[in-house]
Amino acid sequence: MPNLHDIERRISSVSSTKQITRTMEMVAAAKIRRASDRVANALPWAMAVSDMMHTTAEHAPIDIEPLLQTHDEVKKALVVVLASDRGLAGGFNSNVLRYAEKIIREKERAGIEVEVVACGKKAIGYFNYRNIKPVMEFQDLSADPTFGEAAQIAQYVAENYGAMKLDEVFLVYNHAKNAAEQTLVEQQVLPIDEKGYEELLGLKPREEDIFKQWREKDMSKLPGDVDFEPEPGKVMNYLMTAYLRNAFYYALLDSAAGEQGARRNAMKSATDNANEMVSTLTRVYNRVRQGAITTEITEIVGGAAALEE
C-alpha cells in the first residue's frame, strides 16, 4: 500500500498533466475554426476548376493533353502521403501511414515501382525508418500548408506523368468530415477519376461521362463552333495544371483541418482520463488516510488501556 506522500505526489503529477492536455485541447479547438474556414474558402475555386475542365473537354479533344491520357501499362506509381509534423493526435498519423504502406506493398507485389512524396515529419520518419526514401519531403507545414507546397508536388507530377515516367498518382490522407471525425481517403489523382474527384468536392455526380464521346470517337452529337484563345492545347494544359495544384492544395488544407480535429479529440480523451485518475487517486488517498487515523486511534486507546492496567 503506497503511503500518503506518494499518493499526493502522484495526484500533483496527474493534475499538472491535465492542465497541459486541457490547454492543448483548447488550442486545437481554436485552430479547427481557422483550418475549416480555409477549406471552405478553397472549395469554390475547386468546384470552378472542375466545372471549367468538364466544359472545355466537351469542345476540345482530350487526346491533345498528355495529363488526360491513360497509359496502357502501369510500370510506376506515385503515392503522396499527408501526415502531421507533431504527434499527440491519436491515430491520425498511424492510420494514414499504415494504409499508404499497404498500397505500396500491394503495388510492388504487382511488379509496379512506387515512389513516395512525404508531407509531414511523421511521414518522413516513418518511410525513412523502413528504407523507403521519399522523392520529395515537406516538413513544418502540416498545420499551415501553403500553395507553394502544392505547386511543387503538381509540377513534379505533371513533368513525370507527361514524360511517361509515372503512370498512376494517388493521394492518401485524412479527410476532415467534421470537427470531430476524420475519414481516411485514397484519392486517385491521375489518371483522372472524375467521379471520385466530384464526390470529394461535394459536387453532384454527373449521370454520364463527358469524356465518353472523345474516348469512343462518338461524333453523333456534334458540338457547336467554339473559338479558343489561346489554342485548345494551351487551354487544356492550363486547366490540368490548375486541377493538379488544386487537388493537392485542397487535400493539404483538408488534412490540416483533420489534424486539429484529431488532436482536440485526443487531448479531450487525455483530459477526461486525467480527471478520472485524479478522482480515483483521491479516493485511495482518503482511504489510506482514514486507515492511518484509525490505526493511530487504536494505538492510543491500546496504550491508554495498558497504562490503566
Side-chain angles (χ1 to χ4, degrees), residues 57-68:
E58 293 178 348
H59 303 286
I62 65 173
D63 54 7
I64 64 177
E65 173 52 48
L67 296 179
L68 283 172

Side-chain angles (χ1 to χ4, degrees), residues 4 285-299:
L4 293 175
Y285 176 85
N286 291 334
R287 190 157 49 243
V288 172
R289 182 171 176 271
Q290 184 63 45
I293 293 173
T294 302
T295 301
E296 290 180 2
I297 293 175
T298 302
E299 291 175 351

